[in-house]
Each structure stands twice: as C-alpha cells, then as structure tokens.
C-alpha cells in the first residue's frame, strides 16, 4: 500500500487507516464483521511492499479468488497480493520472525517531483562510509530508548537489529533495517541520526 493518504496501519477514531479500509472491504464481500491483524503498525505516510495480515472467516469464496474479490472493494493505493489458509494459532504480529524497513534518501542538489512521496530529500553531500560505520554500531541487541519517539507505552525498549545496511545507487541512498521489532518512529530516528553522521554534524 501507498500510505500517503492514511494515518498509518492501525484503526484510529478520527482518521482513516489501512486496517479500517481493509476490514471494510473484506466485510463487504464476506458479510461478516472482520478484524484484521497486521504484522506491524506502520506510521502515517509509511508505505508497505509486503505487509502480512491475518483474519478469520467462514466465507465460501475459494482462497485463490479472495485477493481478486477483496481488491474489487479496495481503493487503488491498497492491494492484496496473496492469500492462503494458515494454522488456527497463526498471528501475523507474534508469529513474525523479523521485519524489514527501508528508508530512502534522495541525495541531490535539487528535489525530485517523482520521488517526493517515497524519499527524504537531502541536498547536502553525504559521507556514506561514515554512515556505514555508524550503522554497524547499532547492529545487535541494545536498548533503543533513545531512538523512540514519545507517546509509546511499550514495556521494553530492547530490540535486536539483525542487519542495518547503507547503500548508494546514484542519487538514491537506501537504509535497510532488519530487526525482531521496532519502537515508535525508531527507523525514522535512526535514519535522521545516520544523516547527521553523513553530513558531518556528529561522528560515528
């Protein structure tokens, strides 16, 4: 999904979420009150290439036809790509072994109108090698409390970052972070910190 028009994954009282749109679409084709569980609660404006979600249904629609049926009720910025039956105890969030976030930086003198929704624009030169050295220090099991925005009530701020890669391809710099879970705004704050390293504001 393209998260531009949504408040994030999780259903909210005063804003439209991916979860609400998906639940409404599935309910309309099954005639059931559907509750969808997502593998991660993406924030406002965050997009997804492979968000996993699960729900329970008694529908007689063949499993291979479900994506087509659901997509017929979804807007163009949300698409179901695959459906399969899973074990009764499967939970999209708690069964996930890891999650991968990609943060894209457009590093050029001038912004790109085509990439404005899908990247952060940085016109200053970046020291990619310094960013890589800083990224290495974040890999492992650490308390990431300093990389969490206020407003979260999680019990533990310890997370395991399994992989954090910084790669440049032309004007595009991509940060790819794989972890067992993420705190509120954790990836954005990591990206901002690595950008500060890249422009020389702080050292690795």
């Amino acid at each position: 999904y393209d998260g531009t028009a949504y408040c994030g994954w999780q259903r909210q009282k005063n804003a439209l979420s991916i979860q609400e749109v998906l639940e409404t679409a599935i309910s309309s084709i099954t005639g059931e009150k559907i509750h969808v569980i997502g593998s991660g609660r993406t924030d406002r404006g965050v997009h997804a290439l492979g968000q996993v979600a699960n729900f329970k249904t008694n529908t007689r629609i063949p499993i291979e036809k479900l994506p087509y049926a659901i997509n017929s009720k979804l807007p163009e910025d949300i698409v179901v790509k695959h459906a399969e039956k899973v074990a009764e105890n499967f939970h999209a969030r708690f069964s996930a072994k890891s999650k991968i976030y990609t943060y894209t930086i457009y590093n050029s003198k001038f912004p790109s109108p085509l990439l404005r929704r899908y990247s952060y624009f940085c016109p200053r030169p970046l020291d990619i090698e310094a960013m890589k050295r800083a990224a290495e220090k974040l890999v492992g099991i650490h308390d990431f409390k300093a990389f969490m925005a206020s407003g979260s009530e999680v019990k533990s701020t310890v997370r395991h970052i399994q992989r954090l890669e910084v790669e440049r391809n032309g004007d595009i710099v991509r940060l790819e972070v794989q972890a067992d879970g993420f705190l509120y705004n954790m990836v954005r704050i990591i990206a901002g910190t690595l950008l500060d390293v890249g422009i020389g504001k702080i050292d690795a």
Side-chain angles (χ1 to χ4, degrees):
Y1 53 80
D2 180 322
T4 304
Y6 304 95
C7 66
W9 167 267
Q10 191 172 14
R11 184 183 279 268
Q12 304 286 337
K13 288 183 179 179
N14 302 314
L16 189 64
S17 70
I18 303 292
Q19 182 184 21
E20 179 182 345
V21 173
L22 198 53
E23 287 175 347
T24 300
I26 300 171
S27 295
S28 71
I29 66 164
T30 63
E32 304 164 313
K33 183 175 176 59
I34 295 293
H35 174 63
V36 175
I37 298 169
S39 64
R41 299 174 182 176
T42 49
D43 299 327
R44 176 181 295 276
V46 174
H47 318 295
L49 286 172
Q51 170 73 287
V52 176
N54 71 276
F55 64 93
K56 294 183 178 180
T57 178
N58 291 313
T59 184
R60 294 184 178 180
I61 299 173
I63 194 74
E64 66 275 10
K65 300 291 186 183
L66 258 184
Y68 297 98
I70 298 170
N71 287 334
S72 72
K73 302 293 183 180
L74 288 173
E76 291 181 337
D77 50 7
I78 304 174
V79 172
V80 174
K81 296 164 67 176
H82 177 73
E84 64 182 85
K85 292 181 180 179
V86 292
E88 191 73 21
N89 63 350
F90 178 84
H91 191 287
R93 182 179 171 195
F94 299 128
S95 297
K97 295 181 178 180
S98 67
K99 301 168 186 177
I100 298 173
Y101 272 72
T102 300
Y103 198 95
T104 304
I105 300 160
Y106 186 68
N107 186 215
S108 181
K109 289 182 179 180
F110 302 103
S112 167
L114 300 180
L115 296 176
R116 71 191 190 282
R117 290 182 175 181
Y118 310 108
S119 63
Y120 174 80
F121 172 57
C122 177
R124 299 176 63 175
L126 292 174
D127 185 339
I128 300 301
E129 293 307 313
M131 292 173 70
K132 287 182 178 182
R133 291 195 299 273
E136 289 174 3
K137 296 178 182 295
L138 297 174
V139 176
I141 301 171
H142 306 289
D143 185 344
F144 286 96
K145 186 176 182 180
F147 292 87
M148 178 182 71
S150 59
S152 176
E153 298 179 356
V154 293
K155 293 179 181 178
S156 173
T157 51
V158 174
R159 295 292 185 272
H160 180 198
I161 289 186
Q162 299 149 357
R163 180 170 58 87
L164 206 178
E165 297 176 355
V166 181
E167 299 294 339
R168 175 187 278 282
N169 184 8
D171 292 332
I172 301 294
V173 177
R174 281 200 171 87
L175 314 178
E176 189 165 284
V177 191
Q178 182 173 356
D180 59 356
F182 297 94
L183 301 169
Y184 181 43
N185 278 345
M186 178 174 160
V187 176
R188 291 187 188 194
I189 296 171
I190 285 175
T193 303
L194 293 181
L195 269 173
D196 282 346
V197 172
I199 64 176
K201 186 175 180 180
I202 60 176
D203 61 30

